[in-house]
Amino acid sequence: MFKKKNLKAWLYLTPALLFLAVFMIYPLLDVVVYSFEEGYNSASQSYSGVGGFNFSYVLRDPYFLQALKNTFVIVLITVPVSTGLALLVALGLNSIGPLKKMFQTIYFLPYVTNTLAVGLVFMILFKKTAYSEGLVNLLLKLFGSPGVDFIDGPWWAKILVVCIYTVWIVMPFKVLILTSALASVDETYYKAARVDGTSKPRIFFRITLPMISPMLFYLIITGFIGAFKAYSDEVALFGTDLNAAGMNTIVGYVYDMLYGDSGGYPSFAAAAALILFAIVFTITCINLLVSRKHVYY
Amino acid sequence: MKIVLEHLTKIFKNLDKRIKEPVIAVSDFTFEIPDGSLIGLLGPSGCGKSTTLNLISGLEEPTEGRIYFGDKDVTDLPPEKRGVGLVFQNYALYPHMTVLENIMFPLGNLRGEDRLTKEEMRDRAVHAAELVQIEGLLERRPAEMSGGQQQRVAIARALVKSPEVLLLDEPLSNLDARLRLQTREEIRRIQRATGITTIFVTHDQEEAMSISDLIVVMKDGAVHQIAKPQDVYDDPVNLFVAKFLGTPQINVFSGEIRDGKLMIGPEAVFAVSGAEDRPVTVAVRPEGFLPAADGALSCELKRVEVMGRDTSVVFSHPALDAVQGRAIVDASLTRDLEPGAVRFSLRPEKTHLFDAESGERIRCRLTRKEEEHV
Ligand SMILES: Nc1ncnc2c1ncn2[C@@H]1O[C@H](COP(=O)(O)OP(=O)(O)O)[C@@H](O)[C@H]1O
Ligand SMILES: [Mg+2]
């Protein structure tokens, strides 16, 4: 089995494998161990028993359920919306001639902008203060609506801001990937389709979409994973006490359980992290299964 | 369906933005393509062949001039209304569809009263596949087929709507030598079987000569000669056409008409009638050389390459425009040849004179000295 060539390959891989073992596999196993240790005390580093209590606690914790709900809403809204919008923008960019380069740059700017600066802009847009209503509310009032407090108001308003913020943050990268995917589709396919009198929608659905499907699929999978790991965007908007704002996410919950005010519960954190892992794993498997049918490589 | 091109001209803005001067891709192309014929559009790369096809298919709009299919002016019609089938150089088969889906794709675009049911589409696609003999490959994807098979699928897809005109852009250039030979016969067969007016583009003169009814020789957007393959070869209108056709290439000498004699270097090779004294370019086909002890042209023989029935005699001459020239001579005549001085007598019908400046053909009568004496 182990031919000389193989041995050499393994030798080359060793540093990376060691690194992975120490920093990925060991912590992962540790998390699994933690999650089954009941009544763990971090001060004495002791525990009272082994079992599934941590999971049942987490699954009944209203904060966790809120975080679960928030995360799912964020995922289900931002992934399709950002991917769809990015596709529209990329199609637009691809079909304009002269100013294409300039618009490409403009659409990519958010990606290289500091997130804190973006957060600040969102504050100006949405936050109500003693001095200002926030730009969006001023606009809403123009149309006769009473306005709403987006940062400290009802849940739907806050999650709306989160979703808009997330879409705004993740779009530039998707636009970039999709514009290059579209540009790499050979022009002659379109010429052939034109000679045959193919309608615009049919060209899009039967030629363009299948051709860029690998990229689109890549964006959807990474989009799902990224959105499930949402945390920093929420902090940028609502501060670190996300439970109080009702805007916590699963990753936020894990963090709180470790280091937050309610912190010091690594077992609960580990259980929550494993639940998140199970969810992401399942969704990714479903994605892969669906892609087998619909993605052309 | 006959195709008439009238003063067809296409001018592009230069792709290189630094160059202001526009590119004249096709210039004043006038030609009537007879119904049911196979036309070879021949020229070096960049001479405007693809652009001409695109103009005929409607993918490009002409800057000037008109195009007629039969008696109908189609200049302003979009491609799908013209009834053309177009085969691209890289085939442009949709890689995510099977062969059958690819061939059926154009049929799916038919709307209104032309609309077909799935079964009708399938039947017609299978029929087209049978025509190009790929009916066994219908469920394959393009990536699972050889270049030649892909080529056939592309032709089937172009034919499935029964177009009146078939346009092929360098259909053979992506195939290896053996397949190229086979496929060009195939194109000829399909064209005969369907009787469809076909224009095919190539930069390979042999390809064009072997299957075309008529050859159009282009260079820099301009049409140089339109004629039957043999006529283009035997009777080129200018030096470019003479040099572009024929392998091995025609041998080009610089010469002069002096006192009614054609001089190559110090030697008078022909008597000329019908042309005044002037410097000329003399082009002699490889088969126009005959080794002869009393031949008019003396050359330096370098080597003799055996090709079977014929031999290729490689020689040099100071007036030649290349380092060496080639003569194709019957093997029985070269048996005794050794490297060193050799004399050739030239065949007048294989020798063409061109203006030394413009390269235009000089029409005149050449006779061998010895014939004069008789
Ligand atoms: N869309 C275009 N824009 C500008 N120049 C073009 C365009 N298409 C072709 N050309 C130019 O026109 C000339 C003829 O091109 P083409 O018809 O493709 O040549 P061929 O097919 O004979 O190789 C070339 O010089 C090419 O650079
Ligand atoms: Mg071309």
Side-chain angles (χ1 to χ4, degrees), chain B residues 202-214:
Chain B
T202 176
H203 60 259
D204 181 334
Q205 49 94 19
E206 199 188 322
E207 229 165 82
M209 302 241 277
S210 60
I211 63 170
S212 314
D213 294 317
L214 284 174

Side-chain angles (χ1 to χ4, degrees), chain A residues 186 189 196-198 202 206 296, chain B residues 90 93 95-96 105 109 161:
Chain A
D186 192 337
Y189 293 125
D196 293 333
T198 318
R202 192 161 191 251
R206 293 296 307 276
Y296 153 76
Chain B
N90 58 1
L93 296 176
H96 52 286
F105 190 82
N109 294 325
K161 266 179 155 177

Side-chain angles (χ1 to χ4, degrees), chain B residues 222-296:
Chain B
V223 175
H224 282 233
Q225 187 164 12
I226 303 177
K228 293 203 177 107
Q230 197 63 51
D231 294 345
V232 183
Y233 184 79
D234 289 338
D235 198 11
V237 295
N238 57 34
L239 186 59
F240 166 74
V241 176
K243 280 171 90 167
F244 198 70
L245 279 94
T247 38
Q249 237 196 12
I250 200 162
N251 301 288
V252 181
F253 301 87
S254 54
E256 191 185 354
I257 303 176
R258 200 193 305 150
D259 306 329
K261 289 187 205 109
L262 176 62
M263 311 292 293
I264 295 178
E267 294 163 318
V269 288
F270 284 117
V272 184
S273 59
E276 66 219 49
D277 288 4
R278 62 204 281 193
V280 292
T281 303
V282 187
V284 188
R285 292 276 176 213
E287 64 273 24
F289 293 84
L290 271 176
D294 60 345

